[in-house]
Amino acid sequence: MSKAIIKVENLFHSYMQGTPFEKEVLHGLSFEVYHGEKLAIVGPTQSGKSTLLQYFNAIFIPKKGRVIVDEQDTKDSRLNLKELRRKVAMLFQHPDSQLFKETVADDIAFGLKNMNFPEEVIEITIKKALATVGLDSNEFFYRYIFSLSGGEKKKVAIAGILALNPEILILDDPTAGLDPKGRVDFLNSIKFLHDKLGLTTIFVSSNMNDVVELADRVMILVDGKIEMIDIPENIFIKREKLLSYGLTLPSVVELVDELIKSGINVDEKIINIDQLEESLIKILNSS
Amino acid sequence: MELYKNTIFGFYREGDSLIHKIDPRIKIILLIVIIIFISFIRTFSGIVFIGLFLLLIIKLSNSSFFYILKGLKPVLPIILLILIFQIIFYIGEPGKILFQWNFIKISVLGIKVSCFMMLKAILIYFISSIFFLTTEMISFTDAMERLILPLQKIKFPSHEIVMVGVIAFRFVPTLVEELERLMKAQIARGADLDRGNLIVRTIKLSGLLIPLFISAYQRAEDLVLAMESRCYRGGEGRTRRIAKKLTILDFTSFIFTVLFFSLTFLTIRYFRLL
């Protein structure tokens, strides 16, 4: 196992501390994220997923517990927050809220200017970032943000954070609100980025099919507690448990169950379509 | 970096207390009556009387005194600033003067009057906090509408005005949430919104206004469509799902409060404390 890039130790979080409305939403989480892996965080709504994400780039600083990113404690007052936030790029749930300038180029430049990149580098960096997410820089450089489609906005938002040359990518429900084609495109570009740049990727998703396609490991977060953290095969074998948390199963897993029910002997550990195809061909050939 | 989930003022707190049960119409009238009383008070003993009354109400409403007090914290600098200006620029009978420099005069009377004003403002803050902690927004606006309904006879658009008020109130938390989202997105890309002195931070915040306005307009458009698609056509002919009737509790609380304040008023006046 490669080394941990993020360590979370006994992390608690409460909203409205010191008021009658106080509510604890994270109850002592401890886990590690390994260098270069793709970790999916899955859980029903209100389970604390988005809250947890905001600890990774020090938008939240732990009051109780510790978060260590790249061997630096986020609680440390000497910590260079800007540098940390450059290293840990975050894509929020609604891409429109991450874009706040008029044109694509201006928006991508926002982060670069904050990080004091020299003027002459900025334009090249913007073009490179646009190319990385698969947008033609001639077409998009001067486009107005409001003329973009949802998928394009998401890509521009990613370009905005990739321009900062991060090491860790954090995505909050990245495929929500995308059409089927947009979703496939998006997943592919995340995979591509991960493979090409070796980014550690942490993403929250409500779509189990995304999880199967993307994740190396899955964390199941329910009511602010980690119920399971394991490789996808070991997670999706526990069907009843997942359903009892109010989660759904990936389409392939549902299909496997149906096949088994109708007497076709496929392995119940199968979670993705390629494995299923392979084992079905095997069964067809042997009969 | 949490705005939305830490906002206190104006939040209804569910409960089952006497104060919760009073009809919102009566509560509004009483709130106005009490605020008028407070503004008439001119002695410290009057403040003490009203303070005691407020403590009683807090007790009856099952809220916590310190919790309401905490809500004052964000506006404290403004209150103190107003207090200082009031003391410095007090214009009135110049009793005993403590300090004088050019046009700045600090007099005993000035300090007394200014502190007094501040105490009154805090009392008004307290009573209105209790009101909003014990009154659901929806029953508040409903009551408002019913109270100003008679004005419809003189072509006053009472339903529409209340509706605009409701929407404004309803969208305060939404806009705060939106603002928080924008701020976080900017911080995540290296903006120092959470650091720097007040002036630097204010300048940086101004960069949030345009995106905030745009999203507010988008929301307004969505809202109009949502309302029209549910056949909203203004107040005329609308009936109420829950028609409230006044109970003994409402009359008692009304009479009690009015009596309390009248007696306080008369007592103080009689003993020449006012």
Side-chain angles (χ1 to χ4, degrees), chain B residues 204-218:
Chain B
K204 282 186 173 148
L205 276 179
S206 65
L208 292 164
L209 280 181
I210 292 168
L212 190 65
F213 265 96
I214 292 174
S215 85
Y217 273 106
Q218 279 167 351

Side-chain angles (χ1 to χ4, degrees), chain B residues 6-61:
Chain B
N6 286 332
T7 317
I8 293 173
F9 185 74
F11 264 22
Y12 171 67
R13 206 179 142 203
E14 244 170 88
D16 195 26
S17 71
L18 267 183
I19 309 292
H20 281 85
K21 279 184 200 144
I22 300 175
D23 189 285
R25 280 171 289 175
I26 298 291
K27 266 198 273 189
I28 294 175
I29 296 172
L30 286 180
L31 181 69
I32 297 168
V33 168
I34 293 171
I35 289 176
I36 293 174
F37 267 118
I38 290 176
S39 44
F40 268 114
I41 289 290
R42 263 180 271 155
T43 59
F44 280 103
S45 43
I47 298 263
V48 172
F49 268 110
I50 293 182
L52 287 175
F53 178 79
L54 286 186
L55 283 178
L56 177 74
I57 302 270
I58 291 175
K59 185 87 197 118
L60 283 177
S61 70

Side-chain angles (χ1 to χ4, degrees), chain B residues 38-216:
Chain B
I38 290 176
S39 44
F40 268 114
I41 289 290
R42 263 180 271 155
T43 59
F44 280 103
S45 43
I47 298 263
V48 172
F49 268 110
I50 293 182
L52 287 175
F53 178 79
L54 286 186
L55 283 178
L56 177 74
I57 302 270
I58 291 175
K59 185 87 197 118
L60 283 177
S61 70
N62 277 337
S63 348
S64 132
F65 172 76
F66 292 103
Y67 171 64
I68 303 176
L69 195 65
K70 251 182 99 177
L72 258 182
K73 219 171 109 190
V75 286
L76 207 60
I78 302 168
I79 294 182
L80 287 178
L81 199 73
I82 295 175
L83 181 68
I84 291 167
F85 275 112
Q86 278 236 316
I87 291 175
I88 294 175
F89 300 113
Y90 174 71
I91 307 162
E93 286 173 53
K96 195 180 159 199
I97 288 168
L98 293 174
F99 174 82
Q100 188 161 16
W101 179 75
N102 286 343
F103 55 91
I104 294 173
K105 263 187 245 162
I106 297 181
S107 64
V108 180
L109 199 62
I111 293 178
K112 218 172 133 184
V113 170
S114 313
C115 287
F116 212 72
M117 292 276 285
M118 193 188 68
L119 281 175
K120 281 190 193 176
I122 291 175
L123 285 180
I124 290 175
Y125 161 78
F126 259 87
I127 189 70
S128 28
S129 285
I130 299 166
F131 177 82
F132 283 111
L133 274 170
T134 57
T135 314
E136 261 181 301
M137 199 42 89
I138 189 151
S139 45
F140 165 64
T141 50
D142 192 42
M144 267 317 264
E145 191 181 341
R146 292 232 253 161
L147 281 175
I148 61 174
L149 203 62
L151 293 177
Q152 202 122 46
K153 292 227 167 68
I154 52 164
K155 294 255 159 95
F156 181 80
S158 47
H159 171 83
E160 282 72 15
I161 286 193
V162 169
M163 191 54 138
V164 169
V166 174
I167 293 171
F169 268 123
R170 155 72 186 75
F171 278 91
V172 168
T174 315
L175 287 181
V176 173
E177 204 183 351
E178 189 77 34
L179 180 68
E180 182 180 326
R181 244 204 317 257
L182 282 164
M183 286 172 79
K184 280 180 177 168
Q186 295 205 351
I187 289 171
R189 283 161 73 193
D192 292 316
L193 291 178
D194 44 358
R195 280 183 296 174
N197 63 36
L198 196 67
I199 297 163
V200 174
R201 266 157 66 185
T202 314
I203 292 169
K204 282 186 173 148
L205 276 179
S206 65
L208 292 164
L209 280 181
I210 292 168
L212 190 65
F213 265 96
I214 292 174
S215 85

Side-chain angles (χ1 to χ4, degrees), chain A residues 9 17 44 71 131 134 139 154 166 190 223 227 235 252 264 274 276:
Chain A
E9 290 167 10
Q17 241 161 4
E71 287 168 1
E139 192 195 332
K154 231 161 225 187
I190 294 293
D223 289 333
E227 292 290 340
I235 296 275
V252 175
I264 299 168
D274 297 334
L276 183 61

Side-chain angles (χ1 to χ4, degrees), chain A residues 215-266:
Chain A
D216 300 323
R217 277 200 312 156
V218 182
M219 175 201 287
I220 306 286
L221 193 66
V222 181
D223 289 333
K225 279 189 219 119
I226 300 176
E227 292 290 340
M228 300 184 227
I229 179 163
D230 211 332
I231 55 169
E233 283 79 1
N234 293 347
I235 296 275
F236 291 117
I237 199 76
K238 293 170 186 146
R239 318 246 209 275
E240 267 92 61
K241 240 180 169 178
L242 289 177
L243 291 173
S244 75
Y245 299 142
L247 298 170
T248 55
L249 296 172
S251 318
V252 175
V253 171
E254 281 177 345
L255 182 59
V256 166
D257 280 354
E258 288 300 318
L259 287 172
I260 294 173
K261 242 190 247 166
S262 52
I264 299 168
N265 191 20
V266 287

